[in-house]
PDB file of all heavy atoms in Angstrom:
ATOM      1  N   SER V 221      21.222  22.394  42.993  1.00 75.00           N
ATOM      2  CA  SER V 221      19.824  22.409  42.578  1.00 75.00           C
ATOM      3  C   SER V 221      18.954  22.806  43.764  1.00 75.00           C
ATOM      4  O   SER V 221      18.636  21.986  44.614  1.00 75.00           O
ATOM      5  CB  SER V 221      19.442  21.023  42.048  1.00 75.00           C
ATOM      6  OG  SER V 221      18.104  21.015  41.671  1.00 75.00           O
ATOM      7  N   GLN V 222      18.568  24.100  43.809  1.00 68.00           N
ATOM      8  CA  GLN V 222      17.904  24.611  45.022  1.00 68.00           C
ATOM      9  C   GLN V 222      16.450  24.169  45.103  1.00 68.00           C
ATOM     10  O   GLN V 222      15.821  24.265  46.132  1.00 68.00           O
ATOM     11  CB  GLN V 222      17.921  26.150  45.063  1.00 68.00           C
ATOM     12  CG  GLN V 222      19.214  26.791  44.669  1.00 68.00           C
ATOM     13  CD  GLN V 222      19.090  27.474  43.330  1.00 68.00           C
ATOM     14  OE1 GLN V 222      18.423  26.969  42.430  1.00 68.00           O
ATOM     15  NE2 GLN V 222      19.720  28.625  43.193  1.00 68.00           N
ATOM     16  N   HIS V 223      15.906  23.763  43.977  1.00 69.00           N
ATOM     17  CA  HIS V 223      14.466  23.591  43.932  1.00 69.00           C
ATOM     18  C   HIS V 223      14.005  22.196  44.300  1.00 69.00           C
ATOM     19  O   HIS V 223      12.830  21.920  44.430  1.00 69.00           O
ATOM     20  CB  HIS V 223      13.968  23.941  42.541  1.00 69.00           C
ATOM     21  CG  HIS V 223      12.673  24.660  42.545  1.00 69.00           C
ATOM     22  ND1 HIS V 223      11.498  24.051  42.208  1.00 69.00           N
ATOM     23  CD2 HIS V 223      12.362  25.923  42.894  1.00 69.00           C
ATOM     24  CE1 HIS V 223      10.521  24.934  42.320  1.00 69.00           C
ATOM     25  NE2 HIS V 223      11.017  26.065  42.724  1.00 69.00           N
ATOM     26  N   THR V 224      14.972  21.297  44.501  1.00 74.00           N
ATOM     27  CA  THR V 224      14.626  19.894  44.684  1.00 74.00           C
ATOM     28  C   THR V 224      13.809  19.644  45.948  1.00 74.00           C
ATOM     29  O   THR V 224      12.897  18.843  45.949  1.00 74.00           O
ATOM     30  CB  THR V 224      15.908  19.046  44.705  1.00 74.00           C
ATOM     31  OG1 THR V 224      16.563  19.258  43.452  1.00 74.00           O
ATOM     32  CG2 THR V 224      15.622  17.585  44.852  1.00 74.00           C
ATOM     33  N   GLU V 225      14.086  20.416  47.004  1.00 82.00           N
ATOM     34  CA  GLU V 225      13.488  20.092  48.306  1.00 82.00           C
ATOM     35  C   GLU V 225      11.960  20.116  48.275  1.00 82.00           C
ATOM     36  O   GLU V 225      11.308  19.149  48.649  1.00 82.00           O
ATOM     37  CB  GLU V 225      14.054  21.042  49.376  1.00 82.00           C
ATOM     38  CG  GLU V 225      13.757  20.617  50.786  1.00 82.00           C
ATOM     39  CD  GLU V 225      12.447  21.182  51.330  1.00 82.00           C
ATOM     40  OE1 GLU V 225      12.045  22.290  50.914  1.00 82.00           O
ATOM     41  OE2 GLU V 225      11.834  20.492  52.145  1.00 82.00           O
ATOM     42  N   SER V 226      11.380  21.221  47.775  1.00 86.00           N
ATOM     43  CA  SER V 226       9.918  21.286  47.791  1.00 86.00           C
ATOM     44  C   SER V 226       9.317  20.310  46.783  1.00 86.00           C
ATOM     45  O   SER V 226       8.281  19.699  47.050  1.00 86.00           O
ATOM     46  CB  SER V 226       9.429  22.713  47.531  1.00 86.00           C
ATOM     47  OG  SER V 226       9.905  23.182  46.293  1.00 86.00           O
ATOM     48  N   ALA V 227       9.980  20.113  45.653  1.00 89.00           N
ATOM     49  CA  ALA V 227       9.468  19.163  44.660  1.00 89.00           C
ATOM     50  C   ALA V 227       9.444  17.748  45.224  1.00 89.00           C
ATOM     51  O   ALA V 227       8.550  16.951  44.926  1.00 89.00           O
ATOM     52  CB  ALA V 227      10.314  19.218  43.394  1.00 89.00           C
ATOM     53  N   MET V 228      10.405  17.425  46.084  1.00 90.00           N
ATOM     54  CA  MET V 228      10.448  16.097  46.703  1.00 90.00           C
ATOM     55  C   MET V 228       9.369  15.993  47.785  1.00 90.00           C
ATOM     56  O   MET V 228       8.682  14.987  47.899  1.00 90.00           O
ATOM     57  CB  MET V 228      11.819  15.835  47.333  1.00 90.00           C
ATOM     58  CG  MET V 228      12.973  15.836  46.355  1.00 90.00           C
ATOM     59  SD  MET V 228      13.162  14.272  45.460  1.00 90.00           S
ATOM     60  CE  MET V 228      14.336  13.434  46.469  1.00 90.00           C
ATOM     61  N   ARG V 229       9.236  17.076  48.589  1.00 93.00           N
ATOM     62  CA  ARG V 229       8.254  17.063  49.676  1.00 93.00           C
ATOM     63  C   ARG V 229       6.845  16.910  49.109  1.00 93.00           C
ATOM     64  O   ARG V 229       5.989  16.232  49.662  1.00 93.00           O
ATOM     65  CB  ARG V 229       8.392  18.361  50.486  1.00 93.00           C
ATOM     66  CG  ARG V 229       7.462  18.479  51.668  1.00 93.00           C
ATOM     67  CD  ARG V 229       7.949  19.550  52.643  1.00 93.00           C
ATOM     68  NE  ARG V 229       8.414  20.758  51.965  1.00 93.00           N
ATOM     69  CZ  ARG V 229       7.607  21.773  51.606  1.00 93.00           C
ATOM     70  NH1 ARG V 229       6.325  21.724  51.874  1.00 93.00           N
ATOM     71  NH2 ARG V 229       8.100  22.835  50.989  1.00 93.00           N
ATOM     72  N   TRP V 230       6.604  17.541  47.976  1.00 94.00           N
ATOM     73  CA  TRP V 230       5.285  17.459  47.336  1.00 94.00           C
ATOM     74  C   TRP V 230       5.126  16.217  46.458  1.00 94.00           C
ATOM     75  O   TRP V 230       4.114  16.048  45.785  1.00 94.00           O
ATOM     76  CB  TRP V 230       5.066  18.708  46.472  1.00 94.00           C
ATOM     77  CG  TRP V 230       4.751  19.932  47.237  1.00 94.00           C
ATOM     78  CD1 TRP V 230       4.114  20.000  48.447  1.00 94.00           C
ATOM     79  CD2 TRP V 230       5.044  21.282  46.859  1.00 94.00           C
ATOM     80  NE1 TRP V 230       3.987  21.317  48.834  1.00 94.00           N
ATOM     81  CE2 TRP V 230       4.550  22.120  47.876  1.00 94.00           C
ATOM     82  CE3 TRP V 230       5.670  21.861  45.757  1.00 94.00           C
ATOM     83  CZ2 TRP V 230       4.655  23.508  47.825  1.00 94.00           C
ATOM     84  CZ3 TRP V 230       5.788  23.240  45.701  1.00 94.00           C
ATOM     85  CH2 TRP V 230       5.286  24.056  46.732  1.00 94.00           C
ATOM     86  N   LYS V 231       6.156  15.408  46.416  1.00 94.00           N
ATOM     87  CA  LYS V 231       6.134  14.172  45.617  1.00 94.00           C
ATOM     88  C   LYS V 231       5.831  14.430  44.146  1.00 94.00           C
ATOM     89  O   LYS V 231       5.116  13.665  43.499  1.00 94.00           O
ATOM     90  CB  LYS V 231       5.183  13.137  46.234  1.00 94.00           C
ATOM     91  CG  LYS V 231       5.653  12.743  47.626  1.00 94.00           C
ATOM     92  CD  LYS V 231       5.018  11.508  48.189  1.00 94.00           C
ATOM     93  CE  LYS V 231       5.655  11.214  49.535  1.00 94.00           C
ATOM     94  NZ  LYS V 231       4.911  10.317  50.365  1.00 94.00           N
ATOM     95  N   ILE V 232       6.343  15.560  43.662  1.00 93.00           N
ATOM     96  CA  ILE V 232       6.332  15.777  42.216  1.00 93.00           C
ATOM     97  C   ILE V 232       7.525  15.008  41.665  1.00 93.00           C
ATOM     98  O   ILE V 232       7.464  14.348  40.645  1.00 93.00           O
ATOM     99  CB  ILE V 232       6.461  17.283  41.891  1.00 93.00           C
ATOM    100  CG1 ILE V 232       5.256  18.053  42.446  1.00 93.00           C
ATOM    101  CG2 ILE V 232       6.599  17.496  40.390  1.00 93.00           C
ATOM    102  CD1 ILE V 232       5.393  19.562  42.326  1.00 93.00           C
ATOM    103  N   LYS V 233       8.592  15.083  42.417  1.00 90.00           N
ATOM    104  CA  LYS V 233       9.840  14.439  42.057  1.00 90.00           C
ATOM    105  C   LYS V 233      10.144  13.394  43.116  1.00 90.00           C
ATOM    106  O   LYS V 233       9.934  13.650  44.293  1.00 90.00           O
ATOM    107  CB  LYS V 233      10.923  15.528  42.056  1.00 90.00           C
ATOM    108  CG  LYS V 233      12.033  15.304  41.107  1.00 90.00           C
ATOM    109  CD  LYS V 233      12.946  16.511  41.067  1.00 90.00           C
ATOM    110  CE  LYS V 233      14.220  16.062  40.406  1.00 90.00           C
ATOM    111  NZ  LYS V 233      15.120  17.141  40.121  1.00 90.00           N
ATOM    112  N   ARG V 234      10.610  12.217  42.704  1.00 90.00           N
ATOM    113  CA  ARG V 234      10.859  11.158  43.685  1.00 90.00           C
ATOM    114  C   ARG V 234      12.338  10.857  43.861  1.00 90.00           C
ATOM    115  O   ARG V 234      12.729  10.222  44.838  1.00 90.00           O
ATOM    116  CB  ARG V 234      10.151   9.870  43.263  1.00 90.00           C
ATOM    117  CG  ARG V 234       8.662  10.035  43.090  1.00 90.00           C
ATOM    118  CD  ARG V 234       7.922   9.326  44.181  1.00 90.00           C
ATOM    119  NE  ARG V 234       6.492   9.572  44.088  1.00 90.00           N
ATOM    120  CZ  ARG V 234       5.637   9.180  45.014  1.00 90.00           C
ATOM    121  NH1 ARG V 234       6.057   8.537  46.064  1.00 90.00           N
ATOM    122  NH2 ARG V 234       4.363   9.443  44.881  1.00 90.00           N
TER     123      ARG V 234
END
Side-chain angles (χ1 to χ4, degrees):
Chain V
S221 179
Q222 317 109 322
H223 218 256
T224 301
E225 193 270 330
S226 58
M228 298 279 266
R229 181 162 43 86
W230 285 331
K231 298 195 177 163
I232 297 173
K233 210 173 164 172
R234 302 251 175 188

